[in-house]
Amino acid sequence: VPLVSSPTSSPTRTSSATPTLPQPTGSPTLPQPTLSPTSKPTNSPAFAFVSEQEYDAIDADIAALSAAFGNDNISRAHFLGGIVRLVAHDFMDFDITNEAIPMGSDGCIDMDHPDNSGLPQDVWCDGCPLTEVYDNNFSHISKADFWIAAANAVIRIASNNELNLKNDYVSGRVDAESCVDQGARLPAASGCDAVEGVFVERLGLTRTDAVALLGAHTIGRGNEDFSGHHGIWVDTEAQSVVWNKRYYEEFFRRAWIPRNRNDPAVQDWTWGGNNGDSPRFFLNTDLCLAFDIEVTFPCCSDTSQGQNCDRNGQVLRNTQCASYPAGSPREEFADAVELFAGLRAGGGFNNDNTPFFSAFASAWGKATTNGLGDLVPLVSSPTSSPTRTSSATPTLPQPTGSPTLPQPTLSPTSKPTNSPAFAFVSEQEYDAIDADIAALSAAFGNDNISRAHFLGGIVRLVAHDFMDFDI
């Protein structure tokens, strides 16, 4: 028969005289093709590489979940921003100076640490939409790879397709089984010492990279129940679900003044009223990118706005937040903010998101691959995952030949005529065999002697099977 429409499990081989064929029991499990091992492989995947088909499916699922919020931009901002925050909290624990436990994008977050508050409640939890999408459809790939693909989808959707990171995406990350003290490595909301300590010193990024990554605050919102900081970084709830450079414009549009000065744990900055349930706010780690708030605290970021500096019982119209002095390394922060904002010399802003988008794509690529090797671009077709291994010393097996795939069966009769001892092959199984042979071939790398032996041996195997025929 030609290829059948769908695969089923194979029967146990019996005598051809009276074969017994069981009913189909489900989809086959296909082994993941592997790479050639080394004595101690770098970041060998414990899960499957991500295919273009799977990446697009993740993107479509995130788009559908986002659309389901309808006109509820508060919930949409929380959902979209939460996914990007999830990825950031996964990669911000990387420490380039700690060879023993570098961490980084490893799908492991200490959900009990207060700095991760909100993630286990509303983003990654039993019953959370993102978690259900993963568990139901994509658990054969690592959480780290899935989270980044989901965040890329958020960025594409919120930027109205202007920033599509698909061509830069790579997979093959290994999920760590534990990450003790992960939360302690995250930046505190205290100021630019924290920004430099995490992004520059531990992640090995530039200050411009740090400013670009903090531009992710252009979407999402803070929740006082989790972080103690409540509101949005931009002007309106509608803007809080759009990925553009508006975050950087807010540095110069407003007269920012301290908020919650009597509680250092949640002290931040604001410029307006309650704005419904979405007051505008900046963290110290935001405002310090453009102003030296350590030198002039408390202060107002734009004293030319006069009475706007005098709010919340504070009179700050004569206390301008200082700029960084010439020669300070932090001038790079301020220069990047101005560049990404598109600040015109005569006032106002241009409409060009390109400087921000380009810098973000570069910094995001560095941050999500920090310390990792053996990552690959999107593969051509999906495969099932191998057995999960520890991320500490993962081992890749040598190719062992063609996988054995369970096969679909026919309904039995009391004495079938020419009933197969094995099942007919489906189109899905044929394509899976093809993909596995291609992966096994690719695993030989530049070793054409071994590849020739392997490929030629398969053809010879078939020839020796049919050449014994006698008409």
PDB file of all heavy atoms in Angstrom, residues 391-414:
ATOM      1  N   SER A 391      21.903  18.857  33.583  1.00  0.00           N
ATOM      2  CA  SER A 391      22.605  19.884  32.831  1.00  0.00           C
ATOM      3  C   SER A 391      24.042  20.050  33.291  1.00  0.00           C
ATOM      4  O   SER A 391      24.803  20.785  32.689  1.00  0.00           O
ATOM      5  CB  SER A 391      21.877  21.229  32.988  1.00  0.00           C
ATOM      6  OG  SER A 391      21.858  21.622  34.350  1.00  0.00           O
ATOM      7  N   ALA A 392      24.417  19.362  34.360  1.00  0.00           N
ATOM      8  CA  ALA A 392      25.776  19.526  34.870  1.00  0.00           C
ATOM      9  C   ALA A 392      26.803  18.905  33.935  1.00  0.00           C
ATOM     10  O   ALA A 392      27.747  19.546  33.515  1.00  0.00           O
ATOM     11  CB  ALA A 392      25.888  18.901  36.254  1.00  0.00           C
ATOM     12  N   THR A 393      26.610  17.656  33.569  1.00  0.00           N
ATOM     13  CA  THR A 393      27.539  16.980  32.666  1.00  0.00           C
ATOM     14  C   THR A 393      26.751  16.148  31.672  1.00  0.00           C
ATOM     15  O   THR A 393      26.764  14.917  31.724  1.00  0.00           O
ATOM     16  CB  THR A 393      28.520  16.083  33.443  1.00  0.00           C
ATOM     17  OG1 THR A 393      27.752  15.166  34.256  1.00  0.00           O
ATOM     18  CG2 THR A 393      29.419  16.903  34.338  1.00  0.00           C
ATOM     19  N   PRO A 394      25.997  16.801  30.772  1.00  0.00           N
ATOM     20  CA  PRO A 394      25.190  16.046  29.825  1.00  0.00           C
ATOM     21  C   PRO A 394      26.057  15.250  28.864  1.00  0.00           C
ATOM     22  O   PRO A 394      27.164  15.639  28.523  1.00  0.00           O
ATOM     23  CB  PRO A 394      24.420  17.142  29.084  1.00  0.00           C
ATOM     24  CG  PRO A 394      25.260  18.355  29.235  1.00  0.00           C
ATOM     25  CD  PRO A 394      25.940  18.238  30.561  1.00  0.00           C
ATOM     26  N   THR A 395      25.575  14.102  28.435  1.00  0.00           N
ATOM     27  CA  THR A 395      26.297  13.235  27.520  1.00  0.00           C
ATOM     28  C   THR A 395      25.418  12.918  26.320  1.00  0.00           C
ATOM     29  O   THR A 395      24.268  12.544  26.485  1.00  0.00           O
ATOM     30  CB  THR A 395      26.693  11.920  28.210  1.00  0.00           C
ATOM     31  OG1 THR A 395      27.474  12.229  29.371  1.00  0.00           O
ATOM     32  CG2 THR A 395      27.497  11.036  27.273  1.00  0.00           C
ATOM     33  N   LEU A 396      25.967  13.076  25.143  1.00  0.00           N
ATOM     34  CA  LEU A 396      25.242  12.760  23.915  1.00  0.00           C
ATOM     35  C   LEU A 396      25.674  11.397  23.408  1.00  0.00           C
ATOM     36  O   LEU A 396      26.865  11.130  23.256  1.00  0.00           O
ATOM     37  CB  LEU A 396      25.533  13.810  22.835  1.00  0.00           C
ATOM     38  CG  LEU A 396      24.933  15.188  23.084  1.00  0.00           C
ATOM     39  CD1 LEU A 396      25.379  16.121  21.978  1.00  0.00           C
ATOM     40  CD2 LEU A 396      23.426  15.116  23.121  1.00  0.00           C
ATOM     41  N   PRO A 397      24.735  10.511  23.133  1.00  0.00           N
ATOM     42  CA  PRO A 397      25.117   9.186  22.628  1.00  0.00           C
ATOM     43  C   PRO A 397      25.591   9.244  21.195  1.00  0.00           C
ATOM     44  O   PRO A 397      25.267  10.163  20.452  1.00  0.00           O
ATOM     45  CB  PRO A 397      23.801   8.402  22.735  1.00  0.00           C
ATOM     46  CG  PRO A 397      22.734   9.440  22.617  1.00  0.00           C
ATOM     47  CD  PRO A 397      23.289  10.673  23.267  1.00  0.00           C
ATOM     48  N   GLN A 398      26.362   8.214  20.803  1.00  0.00           N
ATOM     49  CA  GLN A 398      26.760   8.081  19.418  1.00  0.00           C
ATOM     50  C   GLN A 398      25.549   7.656  18.597  1.00  0.00           C
ATOM     51  O   GLN A 398      24.670   6.964  19.103  1.00  0.00           O
ATOM     52  CB  GLN A 398      27.846   7.000  19.283  1.00  0.00           C
ATOM     53  CG  GLN A 398      29.173   7.378  19.915  1.00  0.00           C
ATOM     54  CD  GLN A 398      29.923   8.386  19.106  1.00  0.00           C
ATOM     55  OE1 GLN A 398      29.491   8.762  18.025  1.00  0.00           O
ATOM     56  NE2 GLN A 398      31.048   8.850  19.604  1.00  0.00           N
ATOM     57  N   PRO A 399      25.462   8.092  17.326  1.00  0.00           N
ATOM     58  CA  PRO A 399      24.391   7.576  16.476  1.00  0.00           C
ATOM     59  C   PRO A 399      24.450   6.052  16.417  1.00  0.00           C
ATOM     60  O   PRO A 399      25.509   5.467  16.268  1.00  0.00           O
ATOM     61  CB  PRO A 399      24.704   8.193  15.104  1.00  0.00           C
ATOM     62  CG  PRO A 399      25.541   9.399  15.414  1.00  0.00           C
ATOM     63  CD  PRO A 399      26.321   9.061  16.642  1.00  0.00           C
ATOM     64  N   THR A 400      23.310   5.433  16.553  1.00  0.00           N
ATOM     65  CA  THR A 400      23.283   3.971  16.587  1.00  0.00           C
ATOM     66  C   THR A 400      22.507   3.373  15.441  1.00  0.00           C
ATOM     67  O   THR A 400      22.278   2.172  15.415  1.00  0.00           O
ATOM     68  CB  THR A 400      22.654   3.503  17.901  1.00  0.00           C
ATOM     69  OG1 THR A 400      21.352   4.088  18.032  1.00  0.00           O
ATOM     70  CG2 THR A 400      23.505   3.930  19.099  1.00  0.00           C
ATOM     71  N   GLY A 401      22.086   4.179  14.504  1.00  0.00           N
ATOM     72  CA  GLY A 401      21.370   3.640  13.360  1.00  0.00           C
ATOM     73  C   GLY A 401      19.946   4.131  13.298  1.00  0.00           C
ATOM     74  O   GLY A 401      19.538   5.023  14.030  1.00  0.00           O
ATOM     75  N   SER A 402      19.193   3.557  12.413  1.00  0.00           N
ATOM     76  CA  SER A 402      17.824   3.994  12.207  1.00  0.00           C
ATOM     77  C   SER A 402      16.971   3.678  13.420  1.00  0.00           C
ATOM     78  O   SER A 402      17.081   2.617  14.011  1.00  0.00           O
ATOM     79  CB  SER A 402      17.230   3.263  10.991  1.00  0.00           C
ATOM     80  OG  SER A 402      18.001   3.527   9.851  1.00  0.00           O
ATOM     81  N   PRO A 403      16.094   4.633  13.830  1.00  0.00           N
ATOM     82  CA  PRO A 403      15.205   4.350  14.948  1.00  0.00           C
ATOM     83  C   PRO A 403      14.148   3.339  14.570  1.00  0.00           C
ATOM     84  O   PRO A 403      13.794   3.198  13.410  1.00  0.00           O
ATOM     85  CB  PRO A 403      14.576   5.725  15.234  1.00  0.00           C
ATOM     86  CG  PRO A 403      14.628   6.425  13.911  1.00  0.00           C
ATOM     87  CD  PRO A 403      15.879   5.952  13.245  1.00  0.00           C
ATOM     88  N   THR A 404      13.643   2.634  15.559  1.00  0.00           N
ATOM     89  CA  THR A 404      12.542   1.701  15.328  1.00  0.00           C
ATOM     90  C   THR A 404      11.242   2.417  15.647  1.00  0.00           C
ATOM     91  O   THR A 404      11.027   2.850  16.770  1.00  0.00           O
ATOM     92  CB  THR A 404      12.688   0.467  16.225  1.00  0.00           C
ATOM     93  OG1 THR A 404      13.933  -0.165  15.919  1.00  0.00           O
ATOM     94  CG2 THR A 404      11.536  -0.510  15.989  1.00  0.00           C
ATOM     95  N   LEU A 405      10.398   2.585  14.665  1.00  0.00           N
ATOM     96  CA  LEU A 405       9.157   3.325  14.833  1.00  0.00           C
ATOM     97  C   LEU A 405       7.977   2.384  14.930  1.00  0.00           C
ATOM     98  O   LEU A 405       7.815   1.496  14.091  1.00  0.00           O
ATOM     99  CB  LEU A 405       8.930   4.264  13.632  1.00  0.00           C
ATOM    100  CG  LEU A 405      10.083   5.216  13.326  1.00  0.00           C
ATOM    101  CD1 LEU A 405       9.730   6.079  12.133  1.00  0.00           C
ATOM    102  CD2 LEU A 405      10.379   6.088  14.527  1.00  0.00           C
ATOM    103  N   PRO A 406       7.121   2.545  15.929  1.00  0.00           N
ATOM    104  CA  PRO A 406       5.912   1.745  15.980  1.00  0.00           C
ATOM    105  C   PRO A 406       5.054   2.028  14.758  1.00  0.00           C
ATOM    106  O   PRO A 406       5.006   3.149  14.278  1.00  0.00           O
ATOM    107  CB  PRO A 406       5.224   2.227  17.256  1.00  0.00           C
ATOM    108  CG  PRO A 406       6.281   2.953  18.028  1.00  0.00           C
ATOM    109  CD  PRO A 406       7.246   3.461  17.028  1.00  0.00           C
ATOM    110  N   GLN A 407       4.354   1.031  14.264  1.00  0.00           N
ATOM    111  CA  GLN A 407       3.674   1.165  13.002  1.00  0.00           C
ATOM    112  C   GLN A 407       2.162   1.007  13.124  1.00  0.00           C
ATOM    113  O   GLN A 407       1.669   0.351  14.033  1.00  0.00           O
ATOM    114  CB  GLN A 407       4.184   0.069  12.045  1.00  0.00           C
ATOM    115  CG  GLN A 407       5.708   0.048  11.879  1.00  0.00           C
ATOM    116  CD  GLN A 407       6.186   1.214  11.054  1.00  0.00           C
ATOM    117  OE1 GLN A 407       5.391   1.812  10.338  1.00  0.00           O
ATOM    118  NE2 GLN A 407       7.448   1.548  11.139  1.00  0.00           N
ATOM    119  N   PRO A 408       1.397   1.603  12.206  1.00  0.00           N
ATOM    120  CA  PRO A 408      -0.047   1.427  12.224  1.00  0.00           C
ATOM    121  C   PRO A 408      -0.432   0.016  11.767  1.00  0.00           C
ATOM    122  O   PRO A 408       0.286  -0.626  11.019  1.00  0.00           O
ATOM    123  CB  PRO A 408      -0.541   2.472  11.226  1.00  0.00           C
ATOM    124  CG  PRO A 408       0.599   2.703  10.318  1.00  0.00           C
ATOM    125  CD  PRO A 408       1.842   2.486  11.130  1.00  0.00           C
ATOM    126  N   THR A 409      -1.580  -0.438  12.211  1.00  0.00           N
ATOM    127  CA  THR A 409      -2.011  -1.795  11.897  1.00  0.00           C
ATOM    128  C   THR A 409      -3.346  -1.800  11.174  1.00  0.00           C
ATOM    129  O   THR A 409      -4.064  -0.809  11.145  1.00  0.00           O
ATOM    130  CB  THR A 409      -2.164  -2.613  13.189  1.00  0.00           C
ATOM    131  OG1 THR A 409      -3.197  -2.015  13.989  1.00  0.00           O
ATOM    132  CG2 THR A 409      -0.876  -2.631  13.981  1.00  0.00           C
ATOM    133  N   LEU A 410      -3.658  -2.969  10.575  1.00  0.00           N
ATOM    134  CA  LEU A 410      -4.965  -3.189   9.962  1.00  0.00           C
ATOM    135  C   LEU A 410      -5.861  -3.945  10.929  1.00  0.00           C
ATOM    136  O   LEU A 410      -5.387  -4.613  11.835  1.00  0.00           O
ATOM    137  CB  LEU A 410      -4.798  -4.005   8.684  1.00  0.00           C
ATOM    138  CG  LEU A 410      -3.941  -3.383   7.584  1.00  0.00           C
ATOM    139  CD1 LEU A 410      -3.853  -4.347   6.427  1.00  0.00           C
ATOM    140  CD2 LEU A 410      -4.537  -2.059   7.146  1.00  0.00           C
ATOM    141  N   SER A 411      -7.132  -3.823  10.732  1.00  0.00           N
ATOM    142  CA  SER A 411      -8.056  -4.616  11.556  1.00  0.00           C
ATOM    143  C   SER A 411      -7.863  -6.092  11.221  1.00  0.00           C
ATOM    144  O   SER A 411      -7.802  -6.478  10.052  1.00  0.00           O
ATOM    145  CB  SER A 411      -9.489  -4.202  11.265  1.00  0.00           C
ATOM    146  OG  SER A 411      -9.665  -2.845  11.588  1.00  0.00           O
ATOM    147  N   PRO A 412      -7.757  -6.976  12.218  1.00  0.00           N
ATOM    148  CA  PRO A 412      -7.500  -8.388  11.961  1.00  0.00           C
ATOM    149  C   PRO A 412      -8.743  -9.105  11.461  1.00  0.00           C
ATOM    150  O   PRO A 412      -9.867  -8.683  11.673  1.00  0.00           O
ATOM    151  CB  PRO A 412      -7.091  -8.908  13.335  1.00  0.00           C
ATOM    152  CG  PRO A 412      -7.783  -7.995  14.302  1.00  0.00           C
ATOM    153  CD  PRO A 412      -7.806  -6.654  13.642  1.00  0.00           C
ATOM    154  N   THR A 413      -8.523 -10.221  10.777  1.00  0.00           N
ATOM    155  CA  THR A 413      -9.605 -11.138  10.405  1.00  0.00           C
ATOM    156  C   THR A 413      -9.270 -12.484  11.021  1.00  0.00           C
ATOM    157  O   THR A 413      -8.184 -12.679  11.572  1.00  0.00           O
ATOM    158  CB  THR A 413      -9.713 -11.286   8.875  1.00  0.00           C
ATOM    159  OG1 THR A 413      -8.502 -11.836   8.405  1.00  0.00           O
ATOM    160  CG2 THR A 413      -9.970  -9.947   8.206  1.00  0.00           C
ATOM    161  N   SER A 414     -10.171 -13.433  10.906  1.00  0.00           N
ATOM    162  CA  SER A 414      -9.899 -14.731  11.525  1.00  0.00           C
ATOM    163  C   SER A 414      -8.694 -15.406  10.882  1.00  0.00           C
ATOM    164  O   SER A 414      -7.917 -16.070  11.533  1.00  0.00           O
ATOM    165  CB  SER A 414     -11.131 -15.621  11.409  1.00  0.00           C
ATOM    166  OG  SER A 414     -11.483 -15.762  10.039  1.00  0.00           O
TER     167      SER A 414
END
